[in-house]
Every structure is written in structure tokens, then in C-alpha cells.
């Protein structure tokens, strides 16, 4: 009887060496899948190229690329808005310790705007500090000061500022009132007519601020802030670049054309580190898709979805990403897209 019992317990017990072997086998398979998807995107790039309407456009000054296109000609719905993901994480965490796991931008918000970004994505916690998950960084005041500085140095650049309460945190008290107090003179009030107005018709107001609280009341039509439903996306949590690329195309294809849309729709050219993968730092993971922004736009046009693209965001924004978005915007304004 005891012999049988020992035999049964041996079968049920876990062998540490077997568990370790299964773990390393799983990691190896995961790395193979990541490599396969990276190679698949590289193959698509070789086959399809990066040509699309406006792909050869280079603004003379990215800081003022909207003004170059003519504020009296550019309608809000025609803009392909280059954006940044987790915009205010340039100084988050401890350098070389926790920062690599949460930093999605190396530039300040002001530097991103000067580089050409026109959509800023900021997450806050109870004390009005910017955060990314459990890590907090500087006060939201730093972001607002950067936005106001940029608006003060330009005349016709329109910015979308998205502020949301981070998951797992409570809304900062009376935060909507605070935003209005700080940004009031710049704010474009919530109004669906805005989408068909020209930039010139919005002036001198040039800031569309979308406030996404977790529990506080949402902004209402006519109020200075815009509610969450006016900036939508279909984010998926994956570190696989072709999987994200395909998902972005699929969900973009389900959206109405920008001319018929009464909200901003965002596509994020990013992938996200996963806990079951040995590479957990943001930069090497997001690099898997980072260089394929122009390929994405080219494929979108090739599939007949060029009239859907609107907000296009990235980690670690650079000038080439901005040029691609500005190029499509110019092509639309010129009637070439």
C-alpha cells in the first residue's frame, strides 16, 4: 500500500529539472516566433516598399509643418496627426535601473512638439504626477508648461493633448477645473463641427484637450475639454511586430473614412514588452516595429484604406515619422490622396 502511495506521489510531484527545461524550451520558441515576425515585416518591406501619396514630402521646418501647408486650406479631418505614446516618460524611473522598463520617449514634450508631434498622450495619478504603471515622474505642470511654450512659439500648429488617469489610480481631485485654469485661452471647446473646420477657423485656439477620468464626470458638449469617446483606438497587448501590424490594419479598416468621422482614431505603431519574454526593456522591443511606419502607410493605401488613417503614434518619435504623416496630410490637401 505504501509502495503504491509513494509511486502515485512521485507521478504527481513536479521535477525541477523538467520544469526548468520546459521553461527554457518555451523561451526558445518565443524568441523564434519574434524573429520570424521581424523577418516577415522585413520581407514585406522589400516586396511592397514605402511609397504612398506624399511620401517624398519633407517639411522645411517640422516645428511649423502645419503652417507650411496653409491653415486656411487644411481641415482638421484631413490631418494625419503624428503622435507619441506615453509622451511624458523621458525622465521616468531611475536611469539604467527602472527607466528602461517604462521610458517610451527620450525627448521632452516640448521637444516632441518641436520635432513635429501633434498628439501627446499623458497618464496621471492622484497627485497630478505623470506615471506609467507603478512608476511616477514629474508633475503634470511640466507637460502643461511645455505645451504652452510650444503654442506661444507658433501660430498655426494644432495640438491634441490626451490626459487620462492611469489604470490602478484614482482621478486627481477637481482635475478638469485645473486643466481649464491652466490651458483655458488655448482650448478648442468640444464641438463635432470642429472636424470639418480649417485650422484658420479654429484660431487663435489651437489645443484640443481630451480628458479621460476613471470615475469623475466626463466633459460635456460645448465645454472646454473633450470626452474620451473623441479619441479612440484598438490597442492590443503584444510584443509581436507583425501581429500588431496586422491588427492595426484590421481595426483601421473597420473605421469610417475620416471625412465621415466625428472622432479621432489612433493607430499605434508600437509593441509592448511581455512578462513571459526575456526582453523586458521598452526600446529593444518596440524597435521590432518602429522602422515600419512608412511600410504601414504604404500598405494602408494599397488596401484602399488611405482615407481611414488619422492619428498615428509611435515610441521614440523622430523626424522621418513626422515627415510621413505630414506628407499624407499634404497629399490630402492637394487632392492627391
Amino acid at each position: 500500500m505504501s509502495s503504491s502511495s509513494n509511486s502515485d506521489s512521485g507521478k504527481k510531484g513536479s521535477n525541477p529539472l523538467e520544469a526548468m527545461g520546459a521553461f527554457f524550451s518555451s523561451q526558445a520558441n518565443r524568441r523564434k516566433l519574434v524573429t520570424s515576425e521581424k523577418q516577415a515585416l522585413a520581407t514585406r518591406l522589400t516586396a511592397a516598399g514605402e511609397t504612398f501619396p506624399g511620401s517624398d514630402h519633407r517639411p522645411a521646418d517640422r516645428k511649423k509643418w502645419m503652417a507650411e501647408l496653409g491653415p486656411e486650406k487644411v481641415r482638421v479631418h484631413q490631418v494625419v496627426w503624428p503622435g507619441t505614446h506615453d509622451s511624458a516618460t523621458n525622465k521616468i524611473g531611475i536611469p539604467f535601473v527602472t527607466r528602461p522598463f517604462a521610458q517610451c520617449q527620450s525627448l521632452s514634450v516640448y521637444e516632441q512638439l518641436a520635432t513635429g508631434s501633434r498628439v501627446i498622450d499623458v497618464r496621471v495619478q492622484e497627485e497630478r504626477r505623470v506615471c506609467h504603471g507603478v512608476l511616477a515622474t514629474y508633475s503634470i505642470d511640466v507637460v502643461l508648461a511645455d505645451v504652452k511654450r510650444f503654442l506661444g512659439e507658433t501660430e498655426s500648429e494644432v495640438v491634441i493633448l490626451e490626459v487620462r488617469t492611469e489604470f490602478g489610480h484614482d482621478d486627481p481631485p477637481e482635475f478638469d477645473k485645473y486643466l481649464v485654469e491652466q490651458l483655458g485661452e488655448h482650448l478648442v471647446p468640444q464641438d463635432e463641427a470642429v472636424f470639418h473646420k480649417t485650422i484658420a477657423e479654429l484660431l487663435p485656439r489651437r489645443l484640443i484637450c481630451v480628458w479621460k477620468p476613471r470615475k469623475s464626470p466626463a466633459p460635456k458638449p460645448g465645454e472646454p475639454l473633450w470626452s474620451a469617446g473623441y479619441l479612440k483606438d484598438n490597442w492590443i497587448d503584444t510584443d509581436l511586430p507583425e501581429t500588431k501590424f496586422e491588427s492595426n490594419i484590421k481595426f483601421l479598416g473597420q473605421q469610417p473614412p475620416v471625412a465621415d468621422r466625428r472622432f479621432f482614431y489612433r493607430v499605434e505603431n508600437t509593441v509592448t514588452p511581455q512578462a513571459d519574454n526575456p526582453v523586458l526593456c521598452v526600446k529593444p522591443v518596440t524597435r521590432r516595429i518602429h522602422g515600419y511606419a512608412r511600410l504601414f502607410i504604404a500598405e494602408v493605401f494599397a488596401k484602399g484604406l488611405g482615407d481611414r488613417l488619422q492619428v498615428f503614434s509611435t515610441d521614440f518619435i523622430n523626424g522621418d515619422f513626422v515627415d510621413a504623416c505630414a506628407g499624407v496630410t499634404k497629399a490630402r490637401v492637394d487632392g492627391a490622396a
Side-chain angles (χ1 to χ4, degrees):
M1 188 74 175
S2 60
S3 173
S4 173
S5 175
N6 289 338
S7 175
D8 288 344
S9 64
K11 291 177 183 177
K12 293 177 182 178
S14 61
N15 184 319
L17 292 177
E18 288 180 2
M20 185 179 296
F23 171 78
F24 284 113
S25 175
S26 172
Q27 293 295 305
N29 290 335
R30 184 73 177 172
R31 292 180 71 89
K32 287 179 183 178
L33 182 56
V34 168
T35 299
S36 173
E37 293 215 2
K38 288 166 63 178
Q39 291 174 342
L41 283 183
T43 300
R44 289 168 76 151
L45 177 59
T46 301
E50 298 177 319
T51 301
F52 49 83
S55 58
D56 58 348
H57 177 65
R58 298 293 183 273
D61 183 356
R62 295 188 183 106
K63 186 176 180 180
K64 301 177 181 179
W65 69 263
M66 287 182 164
E68 287 181 17
L69 300 181
E72 71 289 341
K73 295 190 298 182
V74 181
R75 297 192 180 276
V76 171
H77 76 267
Q78 293 177 306
V79 177
V80 175
W81 305 76
T84 51
H85 164 247
D86 261 312
S87 306
T89 54
N90 58 309
K91 292 186 177 181
I92 200 163
I94 302 170
F96 308 109
V97 181
T98 55
R99 184 170 297 173
F101 301 103
Q103 184 186 49
C104 298
Q105 307 296 331
S106 55
L107 303 177
S108 70
V109 166
Y110 171 79
E111 290 168 336
Q112 292 167 40
L113 293 169
T115 300
S117 176
R118 294 296 175 265
V119 181
I120 300 297
D121 154 30
V122 179
R123 297 96 187 276
V124 295
Q125 43 88 293
E126 303 83 351
E127 299 172 348
R128 297 180 183 169
R129 293 176 68 192
V130 175
C131 61
H132 184 184
V134 297
L135 294 178
T137 180
Y138 44 68
S139 165
I140 187 67
D141 292 347
V142 175
V143 174
L144 303 185
D146 276 4
V147 171
K148 288 188 284 188
R149 176 187 171 189
F150 174 77
L151 293 175
E153 294 175 356
T154 56
E155 296 179 354
S156 304
E157 307 305 302
V158 179
V159 174
I160 299 173
L161 171 63
E162 176 195 28
V163 186
R164 71 177 100 167
T165 302
E166 179 68 301
F167 181 79
H169 292 276
D170 293 328
D171 302 323
E174 299 188 330
F175 194 61
D176 54 345
K177 295 179 182 178
Y178 182 74
L179 288 173
V180 174
E181 287 173 1
Q182 295 295 313
L183 303 170
E185 64 179 312
H186 302 291
L187 293 170
V188 177
Q190 182 182 149
D191 179 5
E192 292 185 356
V194 162
F195 292 96
H196 280 271
K197 288 185 177 181
T198 64
I199 290 176
E201 289 174 316
L202 298 183
L203 300 179
R205 297 177 181 271
R206 292 183 285 127
L207 181 61
I208 296 171
C209 184
V210 181
W211 164 227
K212 297 182 175 182
R214 298 194 65 79
K215 295 180 181 179
S216 302
K220 299 176 182 177
E223 293 185 349
L225 306 179
W226 293 61
S227 56
Y230 285 105
L231 179 53
K232 302 178 182 180
D233 55 43
N234 290 102
W235 178 80
I236 67 166
D237 188 10
T238 182
D239 63 350
L240 299 174
E242 191 181 36
T243 296
K244 183 63 176 290
F245 193 96
E246 285 292 340
S247 173
N248 283 342
I249 290 177
K250 181 186 78 170
F251 285 117
L252 183 64
Q254 296 171 2
Q255 307 308 312
V258 291
D260 301 331
R261 199 181 292 163
R262 298 297 181 271
F263 58 90
F264 296 101
Y265 183 78
R266 172 171 51 204
V267 172
E268 291 189 333
N269 191 59
T270 63
V271 286
T272 309
Q274 300 296 303
D276 66 347
N277 191 277
V279 183
L280 295 174
C281 297
V282 173
K283 185 168 280 188
V285 172
T286 203
R287 191 182 293 134
R288 297 169 186 169
I289 197 172
H290 190 269
Y292 296 103
R294 284 180 175 267
L295 172 66
F296 180 82
I297 298 174
E299 288 209 15
V300 162
F301 273 94
K303 295 177 183 296
L305 302 175
D307 61 349
R308 286 5 184 227
L309 190 61
Q310 193 171 36
V311 176
F312 197 29
S313 293
T314 186
D315 292 324
F316 303 103
I317 195 166
N318 58 32
D320 186 69
F321 186 88
V322 171
D323 293 351
C325 296
V328 178
T329 303
K330 184 178 188 300
R332 285 178 175 173
V333 173
D334 292 344

